[in-house]
Amino acid sequence: MTQVQSVPAGSLPDLSSARLLVVGDVMLDRYWFGDVSRISPEAPVPVVKVEKSEERPGGAANVARNAAALGAQVSLLSVVGDDEAGVTLGRLMEREKVRSSLHLDAAISTTVKLRVIGRQQQLLRIDFETAPSHEVLRAKLAEFEKLLPDCDVVILSDYGKGGLAHIAEMIRLARAAGKRVLVDPKGDDYSKYAGATVITPNRSELREVVGRWSSEEDLTVRANRLRDELGLEALLVTRSEEGMTLFRDGATFHEPARALEVYDVSGAGDTVIATLAAMMAAGAPWEAAVHVANLAGGIVVGKLGTAVVTREELAAVQA
């Protein structure tokens, strides 16, 4: 294992003045926890006796609450169905002190991911989702333009659920307004992210786009070629146990992984991009922002399910 990294003095600024606008696919993460003591007589599957349940914001909503947990001022713009899950998401975001504008689309159901947990292990995940309608997406785009003056940094969280159909236009509008744009990408077509400040694919997501690399030198060539093609200021690759690497024009910066047990990686990318954006909005340089984002990612993978890292947790590991 690599040595645990600490936060150097001065690298964790006051984030209370950072203003973030998070846009993307929101979802409600539901967890059913129970005991597993027998196999079903109907099929060779475990029987889970559900003892408790939890509901947490997921997707772009998890990004927003992670940024808020660090003390940033956060606005969330997205689409939900006119249903109980959408109402629950709105209530949860209010509790997390996130200003939410959740456009209602009566034609869809709010995306829900239901996870069944037995003996602290995920046994099953059930997804409910529908792509939002064109009319609601156009209305969201119009509100996006109105919200831009009141933010410092924009996060576009793409989970491939259809909520960012106008992402290229959002990037254009935000950049024209002088805002830095961070994108958590999805899929194998990154052309729609052209012009963003930075994109944050994980290792497997980047391989889908640039192919498999044979060495660190090969990765650097492929990453910088993609960065040039898209006109990005930077490309940040999260690499699981290998840490994360930032590629900029003429410079490569690598942060090794923290020496922690990995309990659950779900939502780790949300924590990383939220922390990176909050640090950038507070004026931190690239290296400091990536260092703290890596630290936050290392903390959150030690928690079950979609979770947050607080400023206090980061401060606790300062040198």
Side-chain angles (χ1 to χ4, degrees):
M1 286 186 173
T2 55
Q3 186 66 33
V4 173
Q5 299 287 307
S6 60
V7 180
S11 69
L12 191 59
D14 179 9
L15 302 176
S16 62
S17 62
R19 302 177 303 165
L20 307 182
L21 172 58
V22 181
V23 188
D25 300 307
V26 297
M27 55 199 72
L28 180 64
D29 286 346
R30 285 191 161 127
Y31 296 85
W32 289 355
F33 298 92
D35 181 56
V36 179
S37 59
R38 63 192 179 97
I39 300 299
S40 171
E42 302 166 359
V45 295
V47 174
V48 182
K49 182 181 179 183
V50 176
E51 297 172 339
K52 70 171 183 174
S53 62
E54 290 183 15
E55 295 174 323
R56 305 176 190 176
N62 188 45
V63 175
R65 75 175 183 132
N66 264 273
L70 294 172
Q73 302 173 45
V74 188
S75 296
L76 173 66
L77 177 60
S78 191
V79 179
V80 296
D82 188 6
D83 52 23
E84 177 270 336
V87 172
T88 298
L89 259 178
R91 185 179 71 248
L92 290 174
M93 299 319 294
E94 183 177 355
R95 189 175 72 187
E96 301 283 353
K97 298 181 180 179
V98 172
R99 295 184 296 274
S100 300
S101 179
L102 302 177
H103 288 233
L104 296 181
D105 187 342
I108 71 167
S109 297
T110 301
T111 298
V112 174
K113 292 183 179 180
L114 170 61
R115 296 173 175 89
V116 181
I117 313 292
R119 296 181 181 176
Q120 300 302 304
Q121 296 292 320
Q122 184 177 150
L123 303 177
L124 178 67
R125 194 181 93 181
I126 305 170
D127 292 2
F128 306 86
E129 60 187 57
T130 318
S133 63
H134 178 72
E135 292 76 12
V136 172
L137 291 176
R138 291 301 304 181
K140 189 178 77 167
L141 179 61
E143 185 175 0
F144 172 80
E145 192 168 6
K146 293 179 182 178
L147 291 172
L148 280 175
D150 296 322
C151 76
D152 303 310
V153 172
V154 175
I155 302 176
L156 300 175
S157 181
D158 191 354
Y159 269 78
K161 308 301 182 185
L164 286 174
H166 302 296
I167 190 168
E169 179 67 4
M170 288 180 171
I171 292 172
R172 187 192 67 78
L173 289 169
R175 298 299 281 160
K179 310 300 179 180
R180 301 172 96 175
V181 179
L182 287 70
V183 179
D184 190 356
K186 184 67 68 176
D188 58 5
D189 179 14
Y190 281 12
S191 62
K192 57 190 172 184
Y193 307 132
T197 305
V198 59
I199 61 174
T200 62
N202 62 35
R203 185 171 50 190
S204 61
E205 289 169 339
L206 185 66
R207 282 198 187 115
E208 284 187 49
V209 178
V210 304
R212 189 173 295 273
W213 49 88
S214 57
S215 64
E216 287 298 311
E217 292 74 17
D218 187 21
L219 169 59
T220 299
V221 170
R222 292 170 186 259
N224 280 321
R225 183 186 302 132
L226 177 64
R227 186 181 56 78
D228 288 340
E229 289 173 354
L230 298 179
L232 307 173
E233 184 176 334
L235 173 66
L236 178 64
V237 185
T238 56
R239 306 174 63 182
S240 189
E241 75 281 356
E242 296 175 353
M244 57 181 65
T245 307
L246 180 75
F247 300 93
R248 297 177 64 201
D249 188 17
T252 301
F253 175 70
H254 182 73
E255 273 285 325
R258 299 186 71 239
L260 289 177
E261 289 294 325
V262 177
Y263 190 72
D264 190 342
V265 299
S266 60
D270 299 337
T271 300
V272 167
I273 198 169
T275 307
L276 184 71
M279 290 288 291
M280 291 171 64
W286 278 107
E287 289 79 1
V290 171
H291 175 73
V292 175
N294 184 55
L295 185 66
I299 295 171
V300 83
V301 295
K303 302 181 179 184
L304 175 65
T306 49
V308 300
V309 173
T310 65
R311 181 180 176 83
E312 289 71 28
E313 287 175 304
L314 284 172
V317 293
Q318 288 192 79

